[in-house]
Amino acid sequence: MANTREIKLRIRGVEGTKKITKAMKLIAASKLKKAREMHERTLPFFKHIQVVMSEVMKSTPEMQLVYFDKRKNKPNRKKAYVVISSDSGLNGGYNSNVIKEAVKIIDKENSVVFPIGNVVKNYMVKNGYNVSTDLGINSYSVTTITAADIAKHLLKMFKRGDIDELELIYTEMESAMSFVPQSIKLLPLELKDFEDGEVKQNLEFEPSPEVVFERLTRQYLKGILYGGMVESFVSEHFARMNAMDAATSNAEKVSKKLTLDYNRARQQAITQEISEIIGGAMNAN
């Protein structure tokens, strides 16, 4: 058994680690609350956008837009994927799960990956994927402004023919203990996604249905991207909170065990010292 000095140093180290994990848990809980509030405030607006798009399309069935172009006859169609992870670890299986989903879906040979988060970016670069960090933004933050800038940039690429399909891969929190990777096709748009919703009569468009739908498409894509960003943000911090809670509990168990070891070692040292004193006294007599 280690001596009391060594055990005491280990106890001090474990207690220091426990303070850090507790602090990280509190930070994650604070960010989680903020992300949930953001999501609840904006979700109704983005759902309404889809209803309005459905109304426009049903009122003007003859309208033709590039965003519905499936480009079936184009050779070497380029697929693009926006994959969301975190910038750091210490969040359980959050990053590994979304990376597994991305690897399962993405074809290395004819795809480009737009990573959000250093973990997925580093993995994709290391494993030979075609990675582009140009998302049309200077810095990343979970805001509607960031989502709008990314949507605008990707829509431009789609219209130019730089990409022919676009998919979002992110993590959705199903419950407090369940974080499930999801994939959503963003472009080209599918008519079946806009079949629901009532059609209002006598709709008037200014300046034209095409211009209105163009604007709505940007808002629609922004909404889906923002939803994926927020869901990933919530999942990341919930996973980190759970991981730090587990780490804190383990640190407490280790600290208790080390404290018992310390008390035993101290008792043994006292017993040995008493024995030596008694033995010395007996020899003196």
Coordinates of all heavy atoms in Angstrom, one line a residue, residues 36-78:
R36 N -32.4 25.7 -25.7 CA -33.8 25.3 -25.7 C -34.7 26.5 -25.9 O -35.7 26.4 -26.7 CB -34.1 24.5 -24.4 CG -33.7 23.1 -24.5 CD -34.0 22.4 -23.1 NE -34.1 21.0 -23.3 CZ -34.2 20.2 -22.2 NH1 -34.3 20.7 -21.0 NH2 -34.2 18.8 -22.4
E37 N -34.4 27.5 -25.2 CA -35.2 28.8 -25.3 C -35.1 29.3 -26.8 O -36.2 29.7 -27.3 CB -34.7 29.8 -24.4 CG -35.0 29.5 -22.9 CD -34.3 30.4 -21.9 OE1 -33.5 31.3 -22.4 OE2 -34.6 30.3 -20.7
M38 N -33.9 29.3 -27.4 CA -33.8 29.7 -28.8 C -34.6 28.9 -29.7 O -35.3 29.4 -30.6 CB -32.3 29.6 -29.2 CG -31.4 30.6 -28.5 SD -29.6 30.1 -28.6 CE -29.4 29.7 -30.3
H39 N -34.6 27.6 -29.5 CA -35.4 26.7 -30.4 C -36.9 26.9 -30.3 O -37.6 27.0 -31.3 CB -35.0 25.3 -30.0 CG -35.4 24.3 -31.1 ND1 -36.0 23.1 -30.8 CD2 -35.2 24.3 -32.4 CE1 -36.2 22.4 -31.9 NE2 -35.7 23.1 -32.9
E40 N -37.4 27.1 -29.1 CA -38.8 27.2 -28.8 C -39.3 28.5 -29.4 O -40.4 28.6 -29.9 CB -39.1 27.1 -27.3 CG -39.0 25.7 -26.8 CD -39.0 25.7 -25.3 OE1 -39.2 26.8 -24.7 OE2 -38.9 24.6 -24.7
R41 N -38.5 29.6 -29.4 CA -38.9 30.9 -29.9 C -39.0 30.9 -31.4 O -39.9 31.6 -31.9 CB -37.9 32.0 -29.4 CG -38.0 32.4 -28.0 CD -37.3 33.7 -27.8 NE -35.9 33.7 -28.3 CZ -34.9 33.5 -27.5 NH1 -35.1 33.2 -26.2 NH2 -33.7 33.5 -28.0
T42 N -38.1 30.2 -32.1 CA -38.1 30.3 -33.5 C -38.8 29.2 -34.3 O -39.1 29.4 -35.5 CB -36.6 30.3 -34.0 OG1 -35.9 29.2 -33.5 CG2 -35.9 31.6 -33.5
L43 N -39.0 28.1 -33.7 CA -39.6 26.9 -34.4 C -41.0 27.2 -35.0 O -41.2 26.8 -36.2 CB -39.7 25.7 -33.4 CG -40.1 24.4 -34.0 CD1 -39.0 24.0 -35.0 CD2 -40.2 23.3 -33.0
P44 N -41.9 27.9 -34.4 CA -43.2 28.2 -35.0 C -43.1 29.0 -36.3 O -43.8 28.7 -37.3 CB -44.0 29.0 -34.0 CG -43.3 28.6 -32.7 CD -41.9 28.4 -33.0
F45 N -42.1 29.9 -36.4 CA -41.9 30.7 -37.6 C -41.5 29.9 -38.7 O -42.0 30.0 -39.8 CB -40.9 31.8 -37.3 CG -40.4 32.6 -38.5 CD1 -41.2 33.5 -39.1 CD2 -39.2 32.3 -39.1 CE1 -40.8 34.2 -40.3 CE2 -38.8 32.9 -40.2 CZ -39.6 33.9 -40.8
F46 N -40.5 29.0 -38.5 CA -40.0 28.2 -39.6 C -41.0 27.1 -40.1 O -41.0 26.8 -41.2 CB -38.7 27.5 -39.2 CG -37.6 28.5 -39.0 CD1 -36.9 28.6 -37.8 CD2 -37.2 29.4 -40.0 CE1 -35.9 29.5 -37.6 CE2 -36.2 30.3 -39.8 CZ -35.5 30.4 -38.6
K47 N -41.8 26.7 -39.2 CA -42.9 25.7 -39.6 C -43.9 26.5 -40.5 O -44.4 25.9 -41.5 CB -43.6 25.2 -38.4 CG -42.8 24.1 -37.7 CD -43.6 23.4 -36.6 CE -42.8 22.2 -36.0 NZ -43.6 21.6 -34.9
H48 N -44.2 27.7 -40.2 CA -45.1 28.5 -41.0 C -44.6 28.8 -42.4 O -45.4 28.8 -43.3 CB -45.4 29.8 -40.3 CG -46.5 30.6 -41.0 ND1 -47.8 30.2 -41.1 CD2 -46.4 31.8 -41.6 CE1 -48.5 31.1 -41.7 NE2 -47.7 32.1 -42.1
I49 N -43.3 28.9 -42.5 CA -42.7 29.1 -43.8 C -43.0 28.0 -44.8 O -43.4 28.2 -45.9 CB -41.1 29.2 -43.7 CG1 -40.7 30.5 -43.0 CG2 -40.5 29.1 -45.1 CD1 -41.0 31.8 -43.9
Q50 N -43.0 26.7 -44.3 CA -43.3 25.6 -45.1 C -44.7 25.6 -45.6 O -45.1 25.3 -46.7 CB -43.0 24.3 -44.3 CG -43.1 23.0 -45.2 CD -42.5 21.8 -44.5 OE1 -42.0 21.9 -43.4 NE2 -42.5 20.7 -45.2
V51 N -45.6 26.1 -44.7 CA -47.1 26.2 -45.1 C -47.3 27.2 -46.2 O -48.0 27.0 -47.1 CB -47.9 26.5 -43.8 CG1 -49.4 26.8 -44.2 CG2 -47.8 25.4 -42.8
V52 N -46.6 28.3 -46.1 CA -46.7 29.4 -47.1 C -46.1 28.9 -48.4 O -46.7 29.2 -49.5 CB -46.0 30.7 -46.6 CG1 -46.0 31.7 -47.7 CG2 -46.6 31.2 -45.3
M53 N -45.0 28.2 -48.4 CA -44.4 27.7 -49.6 C -45.4 26.7 -50.3 O -45.6 26.7 -51.5 CB -43.1 26.9 -49.3 CG -42.0 27.9 -48.9 SD -40.5 27.0 -48.5 CE -39.9 26.4 -50.1
S54 N -46.1 25.9 -49.5 CA -47.1 25.0 -50.0 C -48.2 25.8 -50.7 O -48.7 25.4 -51.8 CB -47.7 24.1 -48.9 OG -48.7 23.3 -49.4
E55 N -48.7 26.9 -50.1 CA -49.7 27.7 -50.7 C -49.3 28.3 -52.0 O -50.1 28.3 -53.0 CB -50.1 28.8 -49.7 CG -50.8 28.3 -48.4 CD -51.1 29.4 -47.4 OE1 -50.7 30.6 -47.7 OE2 -51.7 29.2 -46.4
V56 N -48.1 28.8 -52.0 CA -47.6 29.4 -53.3 C -47.5 28.4 -54.4 O -48.0 28.7 -55.5 CB -46.2 30.0 -53.1 CG1 -45.6 30.5 -54.4 CG2 -46.2 31.2 -52.0
M57 N -47.0 27.2 -54.1 CA -46.9 26.2 -55.2 C -48.2 25.7 -55.7 O -48.4 25.5 -56.9 CB -46.1 25.0 -54.6 CG -44.6 25.3 -54.4 SD -43.7 24.0 -53.7 CE -43.9 22.8 -55.0
K58 N -49.2 25.6 -54.8 CA -50.5 25.1 -55.2 C -51.3 26.2 -56.0 O -52.1 25.9 -56.8 CB -51.3 24.6 -54.0 CG -50.8 23.3 -53.4 CD -51.6 22.8 -52.3 CE -51.1 21.5 -51.7 NZ -51.9 21.0 -50.6
S59 N -51.0 27.4 -55.7 CA -51.6 28.5 -56.4 C -51.0 28.8 -57.8 O -51.7 29.3 -58.6 CB -51.5 29.8 -55.6 OG -52.2 29.7 -54.3
T60 N -49.8 28.4 -57.9 CA -49.1 28.6 -59.2 C -48.4 27.3 -59.6 O -47.2 27.1 -59.6 CB -48.0 29.7 -59.1 OG1 -47.1 29.4 -58.0 CG2 -48.7 31.0 -58.8
P61 N -49.2 26.2 -60.0 CA -48.6 24.9 -60.3 C -47.7 24.9 -61.5 O -46.9 24.0 -61.7 CB -49.8 24.0 -60.6 CG -50.9 25.0 -60.9 CD -50.6 26.3 -60.1
E62 N -47.8 26.0 -62.4 CA -47.0 26.0 -63.6 C -45.6 26.6 -63.3 O -44.7 26.6 -64.2 CB -47.7 26.9 -64.6 CG -47.7 28.4 -64.3 CD -48.7 28.8 -63.3 OE1 -49.5 28.0 -62.8 OE2 -48.7 30.0 -62.9
M63 N -45.4 27.1 -62.1 CA -44.1 27.7 -61.8 C -43.0 26.6 -61.8 O -43.1 25.5 -61.2 CB -44.2 28.3 -60.4 CG -42.9 29.0 -59.9 SD -43.2 29.9 -58.4 CE -43.7 28.6 -57.3
Q64 N -41.9 27.0 -62.4 CA -40.7 26.1 -62.5 C -39.5 26.8 -61.9 O -39.2 27.9 -62.2 CB -40.3 25.8 -64.0 CG -41.4 25.0 -64.7 CD -41.6 23.6 -64.2 OE1 -40.7 23.0 -63.8 NE2 -42.9 23.2 -64.2
L65 N -38.8 26.1 -60.9 CA -37.7 26.7 -60.3 C -36.5 25.7 -60.3 O -36.7 24.5 -60.2 CB -38.0 27.0 -58.8 CG -39.0 28.2 -58.6 CD1 -39.4 28.3 -57.1 CD2 -38.4 29.5 -59.1
V66 N -35.3 26.3 -60.2 CA -34.1 25.5 -60.3 C -34.0 24.6 -59.1 O -33.3 23.6 -59.1 CB -32.9 26.4 -60.5 CG1 -32.6 27.2 -59.2 CG2 -31.6 25.6 -60.8
Y67 N -34.6 25.0 -57.9 CA -34.4 24.3 -56.7 C -35.1 22.9 -56.7 O -34.8 22.1 -55.8 CB -34.9 25.1 -55.5 CG -34.2 26.4 -55.4 CD1 -35.0 27.6 -55.3 CD2 -32.8 26.5 -55.3 CE1 -34.3 28.8 -55.2 CE2 -32.2 27.7 -55.2 CZ -33.0 28.9 -55.1 OH -32.3 30.1 -55.0
F68 N -35.9 22.6 -57.7 CA -36.5 21.3 -57.9 C -35.8 20.5 -58.9 O -36.2 19.4 -59.2 CB -38.0 21.5 -58.3 CG -38.9 22.0 -57.2 CD1 -39.1 23.4 -57.1 CD2 -39.4 21.2 -56.2 CE1 -39.9 23.9 -56.1 CE2 -40.2 21.7 -55.2 CZ -40.4 23.0 -55.1
D69 N -34.7 21.0 -59.5 CA -34.0 20.3 -60.5 C -33.2 19.2 -60.0 O -32.3 19.3 -59.2 CB -33.0 21.3 -61.2 CG -32.2 20.7 -62.3 OD1 -32.6 19.6 -62.7 OD2 -31.3 21.4 -62.8
K70 N -33.5 17.9 -60.4 CA -32.8 16.7 -59.9 C -31.6 16.4 -60.8 O -30.8 15.5 -60.4 CB -33.8 15.6 -59.8 CG -34.9 15.8 -58.8 CD -35.8 14.6 -58.7 CE -36.9 14.9 -57.6 NZ -37.8 13.7 -57.4
R71 N -31.5 17.0 -61.9 CA -30.3 16.8 -62.8 C -30.0 15.4 -63.0 O -28.8 14.9 -62.8 CB -29.1 17.6 -62.1 CG -29.4 19.0 -61.9 CD -28.4 19.8 -61.1 NE -28.9 21.1 -60.8 CZ -28.2 21.9 -60.0 NH1 -27.0 21.6 -59.5 NH2 -28.7 23.1 -59.7
K72 N -31.0 14.6 -63.4 CA -30.8 13.2 -63.5 C -29.8 12.8 -64.6 O -29.1 11.8 -64.5 CB -32.2 12.5 -63.8 CG -33.1 12.6 -62.6 CD -34.4 11.9 -63.0 CE -35.4 11.9 -61.8 NZ -36.7 11.3 -62.2
N73 N -29.7 13.6 -65.6 CA -28.9 13.3 -66.8 C -27.5 13.9 -66.7 O -26.6 13.7 -67.5 CB -29.5 13.9 -68.1 CG -30.9 13.3 -68.4 OD1 -31.1 12.1 -68.1 ND2 -31.8 14.1 -68.9
K74 N -27.2 14.5 -65.6 CA -25.8 15.1 -65.4 C -24.9 14.0 -64.9 O -25.1 13.4 -63.9 CB -25.9 16.3 -64.4 CG -24.5 16.9 -64.2 CD -24.6 18.1 -63.2 CE -23.2 18.7 -62.9 NZ -23.3 19.7 -61.9
P75 N -23.8 13.8 -65.6 CA -22.8 12.9 -65.2 C -22.0 13.4 -64.0 O -21.8 14.6 -63.8 CB -21.8 12.7 -66.4 CG -22.0 14.0 -67.1 CD -23.4 14.5 -66.9
N76 N -21.5 12.5 -63.2 CA -20.6 12.9 -62.0 C -21.3 13.9 -61.1 O -20.7 15.0 -60.8 CB -19.3 13.4 -62.5 CG -18.5 12.3 -63.3 OD1 -18.5 11.2 -63.0 ND2 -17.9 12.8 -64.4
R77 N -22.5 13.6 -60.8 CA -23.2 14.6 -59.9 C -22.5 14.7 -58.6 O -22.1 13.7 -58.0 CB -24.7 14.1 -59.7 CG -25.5 14.1 -61.0 CD -26.8 13.3 -60.8 NE -27.7 13.8 -59.8 CZ -28.5 13.1 -59.1 NH1 -28.6 11.8 -59.3 NH2 -29.3 13.7 -58.2
K78 N -22.4 15.9 -58.1 CA -21.6 16.2 -56.9 C -22.6 16.3 -55.7 O -23.5 17.1 -55.7 CB -20.9 17.5 -57.0 CG -20.1 17.9 -55.8 CD -18.9 17.0 -55.6 CE -17.7 17.4 -56.5 NZ -16.5 16.6 -56.2

